[in-house]
């Protein structure tokens, strides 16, 4: 079993002690060391910038045309930190505790505590870079609430928090590009990790403009390549999000941890038809003010505004009075599915529930009247004032909703439904963020750590930036200290040549299939299997069927796929084909993992394991571990990292 | 909202690569739902082309929710198409009627060479940021986030400028292919914050210099950029850039 390398000593001192005793690389040696960073989202851009500042020679890669377009850009709601600026009882411990509990006791205590500790530095760093966070009239930073917590610790920039944080990290990285410490390769896709004498020594990429396959050396390789939610075809991820980099690493010996832990986000715009290519999130922050409900009567076809108050079921407020609409995502999603399955869904598809702002508009309107001392004001003006407040808070989300659905959410409630959003699983890493391949690291959503079986809102941005700005700059030194003096390996080394040959062969094989069906059609079919059988609710029977169906689909893919165009040119269909080929393998592993985990926890809901009230029923005696999957020859072997809770006592999660 | 289906004629710019000669091709698409996004309509066409053994149309896109700035296209002569304040990926087919002909071209500017079909190279924007579009602060050097209060209006204006997605529609909209709206948005975003103030004058000079080197044209205040910008970045930012630039040239030998 690989060692998680968790430092000894009390939880509160582990990271401080680690930092003061970790080995360092002196500045003149850093200049001789090359580090490859794949991915320029929050994790990758912050790592590349920070390592460049330290003096390492960094090469960074992304598949988009500019590093600023990584999917971190799409994060809407916010980023958590334990600043306690609101004086509402927050602390590092409370953020740590909420994250462990939110993750349904399937995350490592030491990692999560470190995350909570560095959260405050992240906010400071971002402010210094010029991230324009929302502020109060006094000029100080503003906070909002997110699900699964009872404090206000979420920092935000309207509904564009990810964009502003990423632009901050991107600019820091571009500054290093100008200084010559970072070299940027955009429109490049990593297709293989080069492992020489047991250590990661570089990568093979394909230039997505010319199609050229290239070799790149690095003393260490960092994968910061994001999540794999697109295995479901429809998700809130960008069209290009993929598992390819992580998957190639997995096939080279990096263990994949908890692949079945995926997050279904409760508030997304519902599917409108077969043409649907992606789903759009409506930020969790909307649950601060929006109330979720369905008609009490089954199959009620009246429009929302005609359904009287006493015929509405505010099911989250009813089931979870303590947290109400702000229960964690897994809980909210399942509750919505339960109501729709029971025949209370709304809209044409009946696969939707209402998210209603009418009350909030009235509440804010009245508050404005007294704030501005307006005295007697008619109802229309109160509503108008309330709408203005809502617009200031969520304007861009409301606009987005209207563009997509053609409905005005200031007037009629939004229709929302759960959708695939985030993947808690990923490459297994130790406390230093190193995978089971020496010298190969994994940061951000691509790794498995911190969020257990369910991630709390506004914690992914925090984790990505923690990994890149504040963790890897220390932990990588511990490895690179040994690499000082070791020379650069030529990219003509047989290890590189073989890896390149393997990639070229794989591409040629894809082109050679020359069948009839498009990549898209295979991806859609895979997505349907995953969503139906390995989605919001799973059971052993369905998972077994899914495994068979995916295997059959994979066979069909490799015998009937058609990719137009050529290898040595820009060819988006070929890019997609490589990604879908990897998703087909990942999908199978996800089902195997879900089948193996005979319990329900967080986002993993096995129908066989639930309480009489329909809540997730954990089995701590049998499953309080991280599932680590080792790959060989299209089969997997399971290893387990036991989770030891020294500080928090696991209990049945309750948000009632 | 009433949904409907439509048949359309599409005239699309096809170009094999950077050096090839391009031209328009005409395609017919049938039964397009008014609920589809514009890019989903192109997906339908591409699936059809692949099915018929043809070559699908290459176009840039990623987030499909109007925030990454990847999608481009000039639709019926307008960058990002007919809807105000909307990217191509957020444009929906209810903007069109049955029987219409739609002309689709890449963003056109010397500094944005076409790579294939509707895909252009916008690396020039990254190089402008490298020239000075940042605040020089290394990781770990920051003071407490609330140590310096920032006037809410300044913070809000800075945010408004920072919401630029770097798509390049402003360049495509401008008859001079000027990048002033993009550059001024970045200059404003940083200059309005106390953290960005120390480098204000070197930043504006370096960024404008790089913009010129990249071959973007000069700004003649036609404001076509503001009209087409999907994030409705205001031309007030250009005025601010000009002020900053003037101040910086007075300071040049301080
Ligand atoms: C719509 C949406 C809203 C969200 N809102 C929030 C929020 O409010 N708060 C929050 O905390 N979290 C939120 N999240 C989650 C959060 O945004 C992500 O988990 C996080 O940004 C991931 O960052 P990352 O750096 O790990 O990966 P990404 O930002 O996805 O970056 C991945 C990078 O890897 C590159 N890449 C991938 N594969 C390859 C390859 N094979 N070769 C080369 N390069 C490759 C890409 O080009 C990209 O640069 C949201 C997510 C979504 C989808
Ligand atoms: S200013 Fe507007 S049009 Fe120009 S790059 Fe920014 S968002 Fe695009
Ligand atoms: S695809 Fe991201 S803005 Fe259009």
């Amino acid at each position: 079993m690989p060692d998680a390398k968790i430092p000894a000593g009390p939880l509160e001192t582990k990271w401080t002690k680690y930092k003061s005793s970790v080995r360092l690389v002196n500045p003149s040696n850093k200049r001789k060391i090359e580090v490859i960073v794949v991915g320029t989202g929050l994790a990758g851009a912050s790592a590349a910038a920070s390592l460049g500042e330290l003096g390492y020679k960094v090469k960074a890669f992304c598949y988009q045309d500019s590093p600023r377009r990584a999917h971190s850009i799409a994060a809407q709601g916010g980023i958590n930190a334990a600043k306690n600026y609101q004086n509402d009882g927050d602390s590092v411990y409370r953020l740590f505790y909420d994250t462990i509990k939110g993750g349904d006791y399937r995350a490592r205590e030491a990692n999560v505590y470190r995350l909570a500790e560095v959260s405050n530095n992240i906010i400071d760093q971002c402010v210094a870079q010029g991230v324009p966070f929302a502020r109060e009239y006094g000029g100080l930073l503003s906070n909002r609430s997110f699900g699964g917590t009872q404090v206000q610790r979420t920092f935000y920039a309207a509904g564009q928090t990810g964009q502003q944080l990423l632009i901050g990290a991107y600019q820091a990285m571009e500054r290093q590009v100008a200084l010559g410490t970072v070299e940027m390769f955009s429109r490049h896709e990593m297709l293989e990790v080069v492992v020489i004498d047991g250590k990661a020594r570089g990568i093979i990429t394909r230039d997505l403009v010319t199609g050229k396959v290239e070799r790149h050396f690095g003393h260490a390789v960092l994968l910061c390549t994001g999540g794999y939610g697109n295995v479901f075809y429809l998700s809130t991820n960008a069209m290009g999000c993929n598992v390819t980099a992580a998957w190639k690493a997995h096939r080279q010996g990096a263990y994949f941890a908890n692949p079945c832990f995926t997050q279904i986000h409760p508030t997304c715009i519902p599917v409108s038809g077969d043409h649907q290519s992606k789903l759009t999130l409506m930020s969790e922050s909307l649950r601060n003010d929006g109330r979720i409900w369905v008609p009490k009567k089954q199959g009620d076809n009246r429009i929302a505004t005609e359904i009287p108050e006493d015929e509405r079921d505010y099911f989250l407020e009813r089931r979870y009075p303590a947290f109400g609409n702000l229960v964690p995502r897994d809980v909210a999603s399942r509750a919505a599915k339960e109501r729709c399955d029971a025949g209370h869904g709304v809209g044409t598809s009946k696969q939707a529930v209402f998210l209603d702002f009418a009350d909030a508009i009235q509440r804010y309107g009245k508050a404005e009247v007294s704030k501005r001392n307006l005295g007697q004001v008619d109802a229309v003006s109160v509503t108008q004032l309330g709408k203005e407040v809502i617009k200031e808070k969520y304007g861009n989300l409301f606009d987005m909703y209207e563009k997509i659905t053609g409905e005005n959410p200031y007037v009629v409630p939004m229709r929302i439904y759960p959708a695939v959003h985030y993947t808690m699983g990923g490459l297994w890493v130790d406390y230093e963020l190193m995978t089971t391949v020496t010298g190969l690291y994994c940061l951000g959503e691509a790794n498995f750590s911190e969020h257990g079986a369910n991630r709390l809102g506004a914690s992914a941005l925090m984790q990505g930036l923690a990994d890149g700005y504040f963790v890897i700059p220390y932990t990588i030194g511990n490895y690179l200290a040994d690499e000082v003096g070791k020379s650069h390996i030529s990219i003509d080394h047989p290890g590189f040549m073989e890896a390149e040959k393997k990639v070229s062969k794989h591409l040629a094989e894809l082109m050679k299939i020359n069948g009839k069906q498009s990549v898209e059609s295979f991806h859609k079919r895979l997505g349907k299997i995953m969503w139906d059988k390995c989605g919001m609710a799973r059971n052993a029977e369905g998972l077994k069927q899914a495994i068979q169906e995916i295997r059959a689909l994979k066979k069909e893919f490799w015998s009937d796929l058609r990719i137009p165009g050529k290898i040595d040119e820009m060819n988006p269909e070929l890019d997609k084909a490589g990604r879908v080929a990897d998703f087909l393998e990942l999908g199978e592993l996800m089902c195997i993992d879900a089948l193996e985990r005979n319990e329900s926890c967080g986002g993993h809901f096995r129908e066989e394991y639930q309480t009489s009230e329909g809540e997730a029923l954990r089995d701590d005696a049998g499953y309080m571990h991280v599932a680590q999957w080792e790959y060989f020859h299209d089969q997997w072997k399971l290893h387990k990292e036991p989770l030891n809770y020294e500080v928090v006592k696991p209990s049945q999660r309750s948000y009632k | 909202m009433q949904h409907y289906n439509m048949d359309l004629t599409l005239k699309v710019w096809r170009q094999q690569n950077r050096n090839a000669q391009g031209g328009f091709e005409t395609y017919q698409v049938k039964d397009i739902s008014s609920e589809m996004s514009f890019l989903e309509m192109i997906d339908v066409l591409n699936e059809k082309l692949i099915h018929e053994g043809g070559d699908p149309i290459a176009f840039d896109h990623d987030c499909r929710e109007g925030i990454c700035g990847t999608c481009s296209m000039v639709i019926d002569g307008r960058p990002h198409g007919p809807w105000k304040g909307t990217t191509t990926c957020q444009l929906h087919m209810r903007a069109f009627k049955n029987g219409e002909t739609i002309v689709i071209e890449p963003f056109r500017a010397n500094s944005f060479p076409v790579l294939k079909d509707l895909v252009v190279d916008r690396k020039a924007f990254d190089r402008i940021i490298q020239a000075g579009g940042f605040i020089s602060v290394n990781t770990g050097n920051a003071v407490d986030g609330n140590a310096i209060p920032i006037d809410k209006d300044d913070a809000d204006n800075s945010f408004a400028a920072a919401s630029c997605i770097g798509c390049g529609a402003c360049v495509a909209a401008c008859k001079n292919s000027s990048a002033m709206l993009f550059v001024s948005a970045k200059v404003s975003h940083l200059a309005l914050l106390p953290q960005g103030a120390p480098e204000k004058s070197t930043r504006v000079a370096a960024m404008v210099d790089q913009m010129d080197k990249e071959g973007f044209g000069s700004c003649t205040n036609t404001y076509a950029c503001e009209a087409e910008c999907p994030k409705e970045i205001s031309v007030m930012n250009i005025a601010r850039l000009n002020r900053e630039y003037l101040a910086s040239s007075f300071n040049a030998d301080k």
Side-chain angles (χ1 to χ4, degrees), chain A residues 69 73 238-239, chain B residues 39 60-72 80 87-90 165 167 231:
Chain A
R69 311 205 199 280
I73 201 99
M239 302 302 285
Chain B
L39 296 184
D60 262 328
H61 63 113
D62 202 26
C63 75
R64 294 205 178 186
E65 49 185 82
I67 192 73
C68 72
T70 309
C71 62
S72 49
H80 292 301
T87 55
T88 296
C89 61
Q90 292 288 77
I165 56 175
C167 63
K231 296 294 139 178

Side-chain angles (χ1 to χ4, degrees), chain A residues 1-2 247 250-251 253-259 428 436 551 585 588-590 592-593 596 625-641:
Chain A
M1 194 188 72
W247 198 252
H250 177 52
R251 293 182 62 140
Y255 289 6
F256 212 106
N258 299 335
W428 184 88
T436 48
R551 284 186 189 151
E585 297 183 4
E588 180 179 342
L589 179 62
M590 288 170 70
I592 293 175
D593 185 45
E596 157 56 44
H625 60 246
V626 177
Q628 307 163 298
W629 295 94
E630 180 184 5
Y631 176 90
F632 41 52
H633 305 299
D634 287 336
Q635 296 207 342
W636 289 273
K637 183 166 170 218
L638 176 63
H639 305 267
K640 296 172 184 172
E641 179 198 337

Side-chain angles (χ1 to χ4, degrees), chain A residues 477-492:
Chain A
N478 207 25
Y479 171 67
L480 293 175
D482 279 336
E483 298 298 309
V484 172
K486 292 205 181 132
S487 58
H488 182 112
I489 298 177
S490 156
I491 54 165
D492 295 330

Side-chain angles (χ1 to χ4, degrees), chain B residues 49-230:
Chain B
L49 290 174
I50 295 168
H51 198 73
E52 292 166 353
D55 196 14
I57 298 157
F59 62 98
D60 262 328
H61 63 113
D62 202 26
C63 75
R64 294 205 178 186
E65 49 185 82
I67 192 73
C68 72
T70 309
C71 62
S72 49
M73 301 194 193
V74 175
I75 300 164
D76 285 340
R78 300 186 59 185
H80 292 301
W83 281 359
K84 195 171 155 44
T86 305
T87 55
T88 296
C89 61
Q90 292 288 77
L91 174 64
H92 276 65
M93 294 311 291
R94 357 178 238 291
F96 302 93
K97 291 192 291 291
N98 188 29
E100 269 188 73
T101 298
I102 308 174
V103 181
I104 308 171
E105 299 166 82
F107 281 180
R108 308 247 187 222
N110 284 337
S111 310
F112 289 166
V114 173
L115 297 175
K116 184 173 184 176
D117 299 339
L118 304 171
V119 178
V120 299
D121 183 348
R122 289 169 289 194
K123 281 215 191 82
F125 271 14
D126 289 330
R127 290 189 292 266
I128 293 175
I129 299 297
Q130 284 156 27
F134 47 74
I135 290 174
S136 300
V137 52
N138 282 359
T139 304
N141 272 341
V143 296
D144 184 82
N146 262 349
I148 310 170
I150 302 179
D151 180 272
K152 188 173 186 309
D153 288 340
D154 285 344
D156 288 351
N157 289 333
S158 168
F159 170 77
S163 64
C164 159
I165 56 175
C167 63
C170 44
V171 175
C174 175
K175 65 179 167 49
N176 308 322
S177 299
S178 167
M180 271 296 249
L181 195 61
F182 166 76
V183 177
S184 69
K186 187 48 59 192
V187 165
S188 295
H189 159 208
L190 298 173
L192 281 164
L193 299 170
Q195 289 83 359
E199 291 170 286
K200 217 154 77 156
S201 80
T202 47
R203 178 183 307 118
V204 67
M207 289 181 74
V208 168
D209 189 39
Q210 187 65 33
M211 173 177 80
D212 293 343
K213 276 193 200 136
E214 296 289 348
F216 291 103
S218 53
C219 172
T220 51
N221 299 316
T222 61
Y223 302 155
C225 51
E226 185 187 61
E228 300 300 344
C229 171

Side-chain angles (χ1 to χ4, degrees), chain A residues 574-596:
Chain A
L574 176 58
D575 308 346
K576 257 194 290 183
R579 296 171 192 160
V580 173
D582 294 331
F583 279 141
L584 281 161
E585 297 183 4
L586 167 75
E588 180 179 342
L589 179 62
M590 288 170 70
C591 294
I592 293 175
D593 185 45
L595 184 61
E596 157 56 44

Side-chain angles (χ1 to χ4, degrees), chain A residues 152-217:
Chain A
Q152 291 200 310
R153 63 159 73 98
T154 305
F155 294 79
Y156 63 99
Q160 284 131 274
T161 316
Q163 178 194 27
Q164 296 310 323
L165 296 174
L166 183 60
I167 296 296
Y170 156 77
Q171 288 174 182
M173 187 179 78
E174 293 295 351
R175 173 172 161 246
Q176 294 305 309
V177 172
L179 292 171
T181 60
V182 175
E183 191 181 354
M184 183 66 220
F185 297 82
S186 45
R187 291 200 202 264
H188 275 66
E189 180 144 315
M190 179 205 126
L191 294 177
E192 192 57 282
V193 189
V194 180
V195 181
I196 297 175
D197 296 333
K199 289 182 176 173
R201 289 306 192 191
I203 58 170
I204 306 294
T205 59
R206 180 163 171 274
D207 178 330
L208 301 181
V209 177
T210 63
K212 195 163 173 283
V213 177
E214 297 162 349
R215 292 159 274 159
H216 299 274
F217 166 79

Side-chain angles (χ1 to χ4, degrees), chain A residues 79-107:
Chain A
I79 177 167
N80 289 330
K83 283 284 194 187
N84 193 30
Y85 284 156
Q86 306 305 324
N87 196 27
D88 57 0
D90 203 5
S91 63
V92 166
Y93 182 83
R94 202 178 283 275
L95 173 53
F96 153 78
Y97 175 82
D98 286 346
T99 309
I100 289 279
K101 176 185 172 193
D104 217 357
Y105 307 97
R106 291 293 176 265

